[in-house]
Amino acid sequence: MTEWPKGVAKPAIRALNAAGYTQLEQLQKVDLSTLKHLHGMGPKALEAIEAALKESRVQSE
């Protein structure tokens, strides 16, 4: 199991895993509005994922 950013609760992690996402890096090219339709994804989880993706983009530059 991979480590998700702080703020991503277990229901959201289960939803991501069920959709085939096991790593944060897999979400780089996924529209976050798609993720909000997954059962278990809440606004806090989406915010945490968005912030982590932005941070990883900054670090890779």
Side-chain angles (χ1 to χ4, degrees), residues 3-36:
E3 206 163 302
W4 292 94
K6 185 176 179 171
V8 181
K10 289 184 181 184
I13 293 170
R14 286 192 295 268
L16 290 165
N17 290 335
Y21 303 114
T22 57
Q23 298 180 6
L24 181 66
E25 294 78 25
Q26 291 175 298
L27 302 178
Q28 291 283 358
K29 296 183 178 167
V30 175
D31 186 358
L32 293 182
S33 65
T34 303
L35 297 180
K36 76 177 181 181

Side-chain angles (χ1 to χ4, degrees), residues 31-54:
D31 186 358
L32 293 182
S33 65
T34 303
L35 297 180
K36 76 177 181 181
H37 294 293
L38 296 176
H39 181 74
M41 289 296 293
K44 282 186 177 179
L46 289 170
E47 288 174 17
I49 289 170
E50 185 174 19
L53 288 172
K54 284 180 183 176

Side-chain angles (χ1 to χ4, degrees), residues 24-25 28 50-61:
L24 181 66
E25 294 78 25
Q28 291 283 358
E50 185 174 19
L53 288 172
K54 284 180 183 176
E55 184 177 320
S56 71
R57 283 187 211 119
V58 168
Q59 289 178 355
S60 66
E61 291 178 356

